[in-house]
Each structure stands twice: as C-alpha cells, then as structure tokens.
C-alpha cells in the first residue's frame, strides 16, 4: 500500500509546490518508488520534476486518477519520480459533479497504486481537488508562512480538516502536520508566531522551520534540481530540505 502525503493550504504562494516537489525528490533519492500527483493547473511542480516547461498545456495528467484507470502509473521523468502532471484543464474537476464522497470511494484505489509513496501537490483553493488530496492522505501537511494573513488561511484549512474528520472522510489513522516556510528568524514577530504554534499544536508543528531563501529556492527551481543539489546551497540548509520526509515521520 502506498503512503499518501498531501501538501495543502488554501493560501497561495506559501510553498506547497516547492515543499511537495522536494519531498518527492528526497524520497526518490532515498531509494523509494514515488508517484508525484500535481493537482494544480499551474503545473509548477510538474515543470520542476519533469523539466518540461510546456507540460501544463497538455491534458492526460492527474485527472487520470479520478478516472480510476486500471494499471495506472505515472509518466517516468528524468529524475526518477513518476508523475501525473498538472495542467490547465484540471479546474474542470472542481466544476464537475464529483463530490467528497466520490473522492472517498477512490481512496483504496489510490493507495493500491504500485508505489511506496504518493506525494500530492494541491491548488490554492478549498475545492474538490484539495478535499480529495486530504481524504486520500495518510499524512496531511499544511504549509504556512509566519504572517497573519497566512495564518487566517490556516484556520480555514483546519476547519475543513475538522469537518472532513467529523464526517468520517479522513483515513482512520491519518496524521496532520504543520510546516512553517519562509521564516526569517531575525524577525521577532515571526519567531513569536512560530513559537506560539509550537505551543498550541505540540507534536503537529514540525520543529524545524524552513528559512526564507528566495534567490536560492528560485535558482534551484530554474536549474530543475532539488535545493540540496544546487551549487550555492549551504550544506546545512540542503540537509534540512532533504530531511523533510524524516521530519514528517514517513522515512
Ligand atoms: N523557503 C523559501 N524562501 C523563499 N522563497 C520561497 C521559499 N519556498 C518557496 N519560495 C518561493 O515562493 C514562491 C511560491 O512558492 P510555491 O509555488 O512553492 O508556493 P505554492 O503554495 O505552491 O503557490 P500556489 O498557491 O500558487 O500553488 C515561489 O517563487 C517559490 O520559489
Ligand atoms: Mg503551488
């Protein structure tokens, strides 16, 4: 049975794509078979993983999972992660007639796909694609930034997680985790937010926040390599990103 890791938050730009791609890279490098499912029409994690800039203009990606295709595998990519890519047509899934109950009916199918891990990147909207990823997840990872607006978004995600849970739609033994990204430890306000969360959500907040490193993260993305393989990356920083699966408790 594949272990499913869903990376979510309805807030845009917090780092879902960057984090999900790095979890896939790290699990693959650790010798596991990985399917990356990009449910976001922007296809940014698909571009990162496949190196194909135009991939989000082609259909035949992540929607295949909703079609319950027999023998489904992702497409092989040069980095070794298999991919069900994101593309602009995926928005139709949210506009169609599929419901959370349909997503629930697909959970066993998703978990039976022939991979050790399935990592799902989601679009920044609390609609079917994000609900489906939550419903399929063994580990539901909410990426947040330490600023007020992002935290308000987090509260909405939390409400949805609690609602799905109360309706019996989440996996029985699912775990949820909160990961702070883009943290500047020199800014006292940010540190205060992180510390407050560590206190309120003990055991749920990942104790190592990811530092704000815009230039480096963007250069690694442009070079289509994980941040730890990028030449300018300090070893300790690369080690934190590479260690995300361990920090999540899935390795
Ligand atoms: N730790 C970081 N430090 C600085 N910049 C970062 C960091 N992580 C991600 N970014 C940058 O922030 C931007 C948004 O990141 P990303 O696309 O991963 O977010 P997202 O949550 O997937 O966005 P969307 O909601 O649009 O899908 C990107 O330019 C990315 O390179
Ligand atoms: Mg994204």
């Amino acid at each position: 049975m594949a272990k499913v890791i869903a990376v979510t938050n309805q807030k845009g730009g917090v780092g879902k794509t960057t984090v999900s791609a790095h979890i896939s890279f790290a699990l693959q490098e650790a010798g596991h078979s990985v399917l990356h499912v990009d449910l976001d029409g922007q296809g940014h994690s698909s571009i990162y993983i496949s190196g194909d800039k135009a991939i989000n203009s082609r259909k035949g990606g992540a929607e295949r999972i909703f079609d319950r295709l027999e023998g489904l595998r992702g497409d092989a990519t040069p980095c070794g992660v298999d991919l069900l890519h994101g593309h602009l047509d995926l928005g139709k899934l949210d506009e169609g007639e599929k419901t959370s109950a349909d997503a629930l009916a697909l959970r066993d199918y998703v978990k039976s796909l022939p991979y050790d891990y399935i990592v799902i990147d989601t679009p920044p909207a609390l609609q079917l694609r994000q609900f489906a990823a939550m419903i399929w997840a063994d580990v539901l990872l909410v990426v947040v930034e330490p600023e007020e607006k992002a935290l308000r978004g987090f509260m909405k995600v939390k409400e949805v997680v609690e609602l799905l849970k109360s309706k019996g739609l989440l996996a029985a033994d699912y775990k949820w985790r909160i990961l702070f990204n883009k943290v500047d430890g020199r800014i006292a306000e940010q540190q205060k937010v992180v510390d407050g969360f560590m206190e309120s959500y003990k055991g749920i907040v990942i104790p190592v926040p990811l530092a704000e490193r815009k230039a480096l993260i963007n250069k690694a993305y442009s070079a289509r390599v994980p941040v730890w393989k990028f030449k300018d990356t300090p070893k300790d920083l690369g080690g934190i990103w590479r260690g995300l699966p361990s920090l999540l408790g899935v390795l």
Side-chain angles (χ1 to χ4, degrees), residues 2 15-16 71 74 94 116 143 158 180 190 207 233 248:
K16 297 177 290 296
D94 294 336
D116 297 330
V143 181
K158 185 171 172 255
F180 277 95
Q190 292 196 1
T233 304
L248 265 181

Side-chain angles (χ1 to χ4, degrees), residues 180-237:
F180 277 95
N181 186 27
K182 304 193 188 183
V183 177
D184 186 337
R186 294 165 305 185
I187 301 177
E189 274 304 300
Q190 292 196 1
Q191 198 54 53
K192 230 170 92 186
V193 171
V194 175
D195 292 345
F197 258 68
M198 296 256 193
E199 191 56 38
S200 308
Y201 299 99
K202 265 203 189 91
I204 293 174
V205 180
I206 293 177
V208 183
L210 298 174
E212 164 72 43
R213 293 299 295 263
K214 190 160 186 60
L216 201 63
I217 301 284
N218 285 340
K219 280 190 210 162
Y221 182 88
S222 300
R224 310 281 188 248
V225 292
V227 73
W228 58 83
K229 280 195 177 160
F230 187 66
K231 59 181 177 36
D232 297 345
T233 304
K235 250 202 161 120
D236 52 345
L237 182 79

Side-chain angles (χ1 to χ4, degrees), residues 68-162:
R68 200 192 272 271
L69 294 183
E70 210 169 307
L72 177 65
R73 293 192 68 97
D75 299 318
T77 70
C79 74
V81 172
D82 279 6
L83 178 65
L84 288 174
H85 71 270
H87 58 81
L88 298 165
D89 229 42
L90 287 180
K92 286 194 180 139
L93 288 166
D94 294 336
E95 294 152 16
E97 285 168 6
K98 287 195 164 57
T99 64
S100 296
D102 296 318
L104 179 64
L106 279 172
R107 185 198 288 144
D108 288 347
Y109 164 77
V110 172
K111 284 190 64 68
S112 75
L113 294 174
Y115 291 93
D116 297 330
Y117 293 94
I118 299 175
V119 181
I120 310 179
D121 187 14
T122 59
L126 285 169
Q127 290 182 302
L128 178 73
R129 283 174 288 165
Q130 205 170 109
F131 299 156
M134 290 175 174
I135 288 167
W136 299 335
D138 297 296
V139 179
L140 200 164
L141 176 63
V142 188
V143 181
V144 293
E145 284 178 66
E147 51 116 327
E148 205 192 319
K149 250 195 296 173
L151 293 177
R152 246 182 278 137
F154 164 77
M155 288 304 170
K156 282 203 191 127
V157 174
K158 185 171 172 255
E159 273 170 34
V160 168
V161 171
E162 279 163 1

Side-chain angles (χ1 to χ4, degrees), residues 5 22-24 26-27 240-251:
I5 302 159
H22 280 86
I23 293 172
S24 287
L27 287 168
I240 290 172
W241 281 86
R242 194 179 202 158
L244 279 174
S246 304
L247 287 170
L248 265 181
V250 298
L251 250 195

